[in-house]
């Protein structure tokens, strides 16, 4: 593999130039105005894969109504490089759409112009997820340039709607399970991050997420508080009361029965937490605050990864602009979510939330009306970190970074992980490229140059180690 590593080092500027080109395409999936750019990004990937000689097919999930406009969903790019029956078939997934970004939001540089500052590559999508996605293509290119044969058959699935719910993807994965994805031996996803900033990790678990909209309605229209204050039941007052019954300030969820199906922590699992290289200061640095709930690192990580949490996100219909507006809103919608863990089931979580909200609303003795609705309901995912795919990834990390990676779970959700596992019945691995401080979804998103370059080597080494697995 030394010649592969040398080639990567000698062509760093080429890879950064290609990443800059990808970042410049404003592939924001949440915006109808930007939808043409999402399609452009998908076809950019398609053209590179064809240039490399891969077999490429596009799957078109259909249309959607976005911001009052009917638009085409971006293509799902399916690629296959190699078909040697003696080789293992590795399926890799990533997404080419990104979060919105405006310079005036607080970016230090133009979010659509990749800018290197002190070894950090700043730009929207640099780490989430364009850097990792295009790196799989560079692995193919490296082997071609060196006249070497790729040690595995590589199957690729790159979508353009991950940041907006992956609409249409699940159905296509199940449709292609015995077609384009047939004979898949394992799945690798690089769409997450190291736990900290110095040590790589392998991720074997994710929490699920269920979102909720709690609506309280009263007057037929917004009212003047000077005229109607004290004479009508106010929806905002009822909503605040209800949202206050959901969670304690120490993070404990107050909904009866919510913890009943949470899997107990085993002794073996506890040992994993005891050996992870992580400090509370890492959370403090990432949050830019020291208001952590827990005093022990292991307790903080368990709260983040393997226990459910409820977060309040906002209130739709309330006045939020600067200044004062003395209005009584006619209808307000409280938005919150619950991150779920083994062995909680989304349907049961929704039932418990609905029962709690109805019971608490009845106690208010108000004449307003209340409804509670579940939005997205994605399930948790946990894999066995001792499978051959994880062993190969561990060996790859040890070769590139000279350290044994931490085994981690994550508090966030990547629903496609579970979809691949259920559709293909194969091991799924999360192999992160970026660091915890990359700022994905935030202003000044970045990917460290060293993570990008060494990450290309890591992906190539992972495929090499997979080819040696038995």
């Amino acid at each position: 593999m030394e010649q592969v590593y040398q080639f990567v080092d000698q062509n760093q500027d080429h890879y950064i130039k290609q990443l800059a080109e990808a970042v410049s395409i404003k592939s924001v999936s949440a915006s109808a105005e930007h939808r043409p750019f999402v399609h452009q990004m998908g076809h950019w990937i398609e053209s590179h894969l064809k240039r490399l000689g891969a077999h490429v097919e596009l799957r078109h999930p259909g249309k959607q109504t976005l911001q009052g406009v009917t638009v085409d969903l971006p293509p799902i790019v399916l690629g296959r490089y190699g078909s040697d029956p003696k080789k293992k078939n590795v399926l890799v997934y990533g997404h080419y759409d990104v979060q919105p970004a405006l310079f005036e939001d607080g970016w230090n540089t133009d979010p659509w112009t990749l800018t290197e500052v002190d070894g950090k590559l700043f730009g929207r999508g640099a780490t989430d997820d364009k850097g990792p996605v295009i790196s799989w293509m560079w692995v193919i290119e490296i082997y071609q340039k060196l006249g070497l044969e790729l040690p595995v058959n590589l199957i690729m699935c790159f979508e353009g709607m991950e940041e907006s719910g992956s609409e249409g993807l699940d159905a296509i994965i199940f449709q292609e399970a015995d077609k384009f994805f047939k004979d898949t031996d394992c799945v690798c996803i690089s769409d997450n991050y190291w736990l900290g900033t110095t040590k790589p990790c392998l991720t074997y678990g994710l929490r699920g997420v269920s979102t909720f909209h709690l609506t309280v309605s009263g007057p037929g229209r917004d009212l003047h508080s000077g005229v109607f204050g004290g004479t009508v039941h106010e929806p905002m007052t009822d909503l605040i009361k209800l949202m206050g019954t959901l969670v304690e300030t120490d993070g404990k969820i107050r909904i009866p029965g919510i913890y009943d199906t949470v899997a107990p922590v085993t002794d073996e699992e506890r040992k994993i937490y005891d050996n992870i290289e992580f400090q509370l200061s890492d959370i403090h640095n990432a949050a830019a605050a020291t208001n952590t709930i827990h005093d022990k690192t292991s307790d903080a990580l368990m709260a983040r990864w393997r226990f459910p949490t409820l977060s309040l996100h906002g209130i739709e219909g309330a006045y939020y602009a600067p200044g004062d507006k003395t209005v009584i809103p006619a209808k307000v919608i409280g938005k919150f979510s619950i991150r779920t863990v083994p062995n909680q089931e989304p349907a049961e979580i929704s039932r418990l939330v609905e029962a709690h909200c109805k019971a608490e609303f009845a106690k208010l003795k108000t004449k307003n009306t209340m409804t509670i609705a579940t939005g997205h309901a994605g399930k948790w995912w946990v894999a066995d970190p001792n499978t051959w795919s994880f062993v190969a990834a561990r060996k790859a990390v040890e070769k590139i970074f000279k350290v044994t990676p931490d085994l981690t779970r994550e508090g966030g959700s990547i629903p496609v992980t579970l979809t691949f596992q259920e559709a293909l019945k194969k091991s799924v691995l999360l192999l992160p490229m970026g660091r915890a401080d990359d700022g994905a979804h935030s202003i000044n998103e970045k990917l460290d140059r060293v993570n990008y370059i060494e990450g290309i080597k890591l992906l190539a080494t992972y495929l090499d180690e997979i080819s040696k697995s038995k």
Side-chain angles (χ1 to χ4, degrees):
M1 294 297 291
E2 285 304 319
Q3 57 182 325
V4 170
Y5 303 155
Q6 290 176 11
F7 188 91
V8 174
D9 287 335
Q10 293 165 1
N11 290 275
Q12 290 188 38
D13 290 343
H14 165 69
Y15 301 129
I16 291 173
K17 181 180 179 181
Q18 293 296 320
L19 178 59
E21 187 174 326
V23 165
S24 71
I25 302 173
K26 304 176 182 179
S27 52
V28 180
S29 57
S31 164
E33 177 186 357
H34 288 84
R35 183 53 56 87
F37 295 114
V38 188
H39 285 268
Q40 179 187 349
M41 187 67 215
H43 292 301
W44 186 90
I45 292 173
E46 176 192 18
S47 65
H48 271 284
L49 287 174
K50 287 183 175 179
R51 173 181 63 82
L52 293 169
H55 172 72
V56 183
E57 296 181 16
L58 302 183
R59 296 293 182 269
H60 300 281
K63 297 180 180 292
Q64 71 170 149
T65 300
L66 181 62
Q67 297 162 344
V69 181
T70 300
V71 294
D72 290 322
L73 289 165
I76 296 170
V77 182
L78 303 181
R80 181 181 280 268
Y81 187 83
S83 57
D84 189 337
K86 298 178 182 178
K87 296 179 181 178
K88 286 189 171 63
N89 299 290
V90 180
L91 170 59
V92 299
Y93 160 87
H95 65 91
Y96 58 82
D97 64 319
V98 299
Q99 286 281 315
L102 296 171
F103 178 77
E104 50 268 33
D105 287 341
W107 283 75
N108 295 328
T109 59
D110 178 3
W112 307 109
T113 301
L114 191 72
T115 305
E116 184 169 6
V117 180
D118 297 329
K120 303 178 190 300
L121 305 168
F122 291 92
R124 176 57 88 219
T127 192
D128 183 24
D129 186 33
K130 290 182 177 180
V133 163
I134 64 178
S135 292
W136 290 113
M137 299 193 297
W138 308 154
V139 172
I140 296 174
E141 184 179 65
I142 291 162
Y143 274 85
Q144 287 186 351
K145 295 283 187 180
L146 292 173
L148 301 173
E149 191 173 316
L150 197 68
V152 302
N153 300 319
L154 194 62
I155 307 169
M156 291 153 281
C157 177
F158 301 138
E159 67 154 323
M161 283 292 289
E162 193 274 343
E163 302 291 6
S164 299
S166 295
E167 189 166 344
L169 178 63
D170 281 7
I172 287 176
I173 290 175
F174 277 96
Q175 289 170 13
E176 299 297 334
D178 59 353
K179 300 180 180 70
F180 205 94
F181 301 149
K182 69 178 180 179
D183 301 325
T184 293
D185 293 302
C186 63
V187 181
C188 181
I189 298 173
S190 187
D191 186 24
N192 65 314
Y193 313 93
W194 294 359
L195 179 58
T197 59
T198 60
K199 188 178 182 183
C201 66
L202 305 178
T203 303
Y204 69 96
L206 298 165
R207 289 194 295 187
V209 62
S210 294
T211 62
F212 299 93
H213 289 183
L214 178 58
T215 302
V216 179
S217 304
R221 58 181 179 272
D222 290 354
L223 302 176
H224 190 301
S225 65
V227 177
F228 291 96
T231 63
V232 298
H233 288 279
E234 298 190 16
M236 181 72 87
T237 303
D238 292 348
L239 180 63
I240 296 298
K241 284 276 192 180
L242 286 175
M243 295 184 78
T245 70
L246 296 172
V247 63
E248 299 283 5
T249 55
D250 65 358
K252 181 177 175 58
I253 303 174
R254 297 179 60 187
I255 298 171
I258 206 78
Y259 294 100
D260 290 355
T261 56
V262 174
V265 181
T266 64
D267 292 339
E268 183 180 1
E269 181 185 359
R270 194 175 297 278
K271 290 178 182 177
I272 293 177
Y273 287 88
D274 291 339
N275 295 325
I276 289 175
E277 187 176 303
F278 188 76
Q279 304 296 327
L280 286 177
S281 58
D282 293 317
I283 299 179
H284 298 161
N285 293 335
T290 57
N291 60 341
T292 42
I293 294 172
H294 305 277
D295 296 325
K296 289 180 58 179
T297 301
S298 58
D299 290 341
L301 289 177
M302 286 190 188
R304 176 170 161 179
W305 294 346
R306 64 103 56 230
F307 289 115
T309 56
L310 188 152
S311 298
L312 307 177
H313 303 302
I315 298 176
E316 182 180 338
Y319 181 68
Y320 61 89
D324 301 317
K325 185 179 180 182
T326 54
V327 66
I328 299 173
K331 181 176 78 170
V332 284
I333 305 171
K335 300 180 180 182
F336 64 95
S337 68
I338 297 177
R339 296 284 175 172
T340 55
V341 298
N343 295 306
Q344 295 177 310
E345 292 293 333
E348 176 64 6
I349 295 299
S350 293
R351 187 191 69 78
L352 292 172
V353 169
E354 181 178 354
H356 173 79
C357 290
K358 287 182 176 179
E360 292 298 323
F361 186 72
K363 296 177 184 178
L364 299 181
K365 301 187 184 304
T366 175
K367 294 181 180 178
N368 291 325
T369 60
M370 183 276 294
T371 60
I372 176 71
T374 303
H376 173 76
K379 197 175 178 181
W380 45 267
W381 163 79
V382 174
D384 179 359
N386 298 309
T387 60
W388 56 270
S389 177
F390 276 86
V391 172
R394 187 184 71 241
K395 290 180 179 179
V397 170
E398 290 171 345
K399 284 189 174 180
I400 299 302
F401 294 100
K402 313 304 180 187
V403 64
T404 299
D406 285 330
L407 290 175
T408 68
R409 289 162 70 163
E410 285 203 0
S413 305
I414 307 176
V416 71
T417 309
L418 182 63
T419 304
F420 276 122
Q421 184 168 288
E422 292 181 339
L424 305 181
K425 303 294 189 293
K426 300 295 181 180
S427 173
V428 181
L429 160 77
L430 294 184
L431 182 61
M433 175 179 286
R435 304 183 184 186
D437 64 350
D438 279 355
H441 291 208
S442 185
I443 59 173
N444 301 315
E445 176 184 344
K446 61 84 178 172
L447 176 63
D448 288 72
R449 174 192 273 258
V450 66
N451 283 67
Y452 181 38
I453 300 305
E454 297 304 301
I456 297 172
K457 298 177 188 176
L458 175 64
L459 299 186
T461 307
Y462 167 68
L463 296 183
D464 184 63
E465 291 295 333
I466 283 288
S467 70
K468 301 173 184 175
S469 300
K470 296 180 180 180

